[in-house]
Amino acid sequence: MVQEKVRFQPFSGEPVRLIDEQGHWIAGFEHGLPPDLLRRFYRDMLAARILDEKLIILIRTGKTSFVAPHSGHEGAQVGIAHALRKGHDWLFPYYRDMGLMLAMELPLVEIFGQTLGNAADPAKGRQMPSHPGSKKLNIFSVCSAIASHIPPAAGAAISMKLRRTGQVAVCTFGDGATSEGDWHAGINFAAVQGAPAVFVCQNNRYAISVNISRQTASESIAIKAHAYGIPGYYVDGMDVLASYFVMQEAIERARAGHGASLVELVVNRFGPHSSADDDSRYRSREELAAERLHDPLVRFQRFLEKQDLWDANWANELGLEISKELEAALQEALQTGEPDPLEMFDDVFAARPWHLEEQRRLVAEELR
Ligand SMILES: Cc1ncc(C[n+]2csc(CCOP(=O)(O)OP(=O)(O)O)c2C)c(N)n1
């Protein structure tokens, strides 16, 4: 039950911030991260931003039916991805996590296949867009019903503890999820069982049009952890290194046998809730413009610049390289074509029951 470093105190009044708006490192410890890793964080954040723009184009050109923009969440999502052990720990994500999927190295063709709902989609087009998952990478398939993935994440963590697998279950969600019964039941269960789970709220202060002030009377989301007897970390999620280091501490704390925790990463949602939303009806353009001044990418760029790890030429080249990679993956996914409609009868039951067999026969006849 040994945990190496304890750097962060739960329930801080101010959010944990390690890089200020001007890009200065303001923590009381050395980050000790190699230049390659720092640049990798930047690459993943930039790729997430470019992916977001590309997904919006897919909506506008009618190639997909749903997108939940993640711009503004890049620092939080890249921090989470690099803090867990990829392919070993389990991730229980939510629909705004496409930047997280990218940083988790979910293959780009799968990301686009899932978005298009075509034959490149491991779920064979049977999920809603922006609802990926990966058996190979231990990524639980996104659930549309808000917070319904919290109890399964708690259950997985309890199983990891009983089986002593050394894994951790990391579960992400928005502030709106914290008003669901599943959220409280799941966190309470994981907490009382001392399970290795980290529950991560990407608090963008909106649940579609509902502002956080109408969501909860608590002074923060993190403070709710008090009620379950676990630590609650309050973090500036626009700071990729604060997100990374706090997540790493919470994950390694869980892995060392000290139980669950709650991490609140405070972020901004730069886009509308989804492609089906017009946020100008409930959020002033002035408010949005003010939020955009606190761009997580710009802050991290300033930090890198101070260490001679960033220049405009390098960043432009990187942007072009990422755009090309994304376009190539999109074209590859597009070429796989539509999934076979008969596949909708597969994978639910080990042996197909008679009534599905009958329906499958009728559909096959219709298709002929
Ligand atoms: C149980 C349930 N109720 C309502 C909805 C409709 N719905 C979809 S997204 C959403 C807002 C969730 O907001 P939040 O959890 O803050 O995450 P964000 O979208 O802001 O990242 C709602 C109410 C749903 N999917 N499931």
Side-chain angles (χ1 to χ4, degrees), residues 94-96 144-146 174-177 180 204 206-208 273:
Y94 84 125
Y95 50 82
R96 203 176 299 288
S144 295
I146 300 294
D175 39 301
E180 286 289 344
N204 60 28
Y206 280 97
I208 312 184
H273 167 74

Side-chain angles (χ1 to χ4, degrees), residues 124-146:
K124 303 174 186 170
R126 296 172 297 192
Q127 257 282 29
M128 203 174 152
S130 289
H131 285 53
S134 170
K135 217 169 165 178
K136 200 167 152 216
L137 293 172
N138 291 354
I139 301 175
F140 195 69
S141 184
V142 171
C143 305
S144 295
I146 300 294

Side-chain angles (χ1 to χ4, degrees), residues 66 68-69 73 94-96 143-148 173-178 180 201-210 215 269 273-274:
F66 179 82
H73 287 233
Y94 84 125
Y95 50 82
R96 203 176 299 288
C143 305
S144 295
I146 300 294
S148 64
F173 45 85
D175 39 301
T178 66
E180 286 289 344
C201 181
Q202 294 177 48
N203 178 7
N204 60 28
R205 304 183 324 283
Y206 280 97
I208 312 184
S209 57
V210 177
Q215 192 74 247
R269 193 191 81 198
H273 167 74
S274 75

Side-chain angles (χ1 to χ4, degrees), residues 96-118:
R96 203 176 299 288
D97 274 336
M98 294 304 267
L100 176 50
M101 293 301 125
L102 205 144
M104 287 290 294
E105 295 174 54
L106 188 68
L108 293 175
V109 177
E110 282 186 28
I111 290 184
F112 286 116
Q114 209 288 313
T115 303
L116 301 165
N118 75 2

Side-chain angles (χ1 to χ4, degrees), residues 147-227:
S148 64
H149 63 313
I150 314 272
I158 292 166
S159 143
M160 289 165 186
K161 180 177 175 178
L162 294 175
R163 291 160 55 224
R164 300 172 192 266
T165 64
Q167 294 164 296
V168 177
V170 175
C171 179
T172 64
F173 45 85
D175 39 301
T178 66
S179 295
E180 286 289 344
D182 272 352
W183 190 82
H184 300 277
I187 294 187
N188 186 57
F189 232 119
V192 81
Q193 297 284 335
V198 181
F199 298 99
V200 194
C201 181
Q202 294 177 48
N203 178 7
N204 60 28
R205 304 183 324 283
Y206 280 97
I208 312 184
S209 57
V210 177
N211 186 266
I212 186 83
S213 57
R214 300 184 66 197
Q215 192 74 247
T216 180
S218 303
E219 67 188 52
S220 68
I221 300 297
I223 203 169
K224 292 174 188 282
H226 260 309

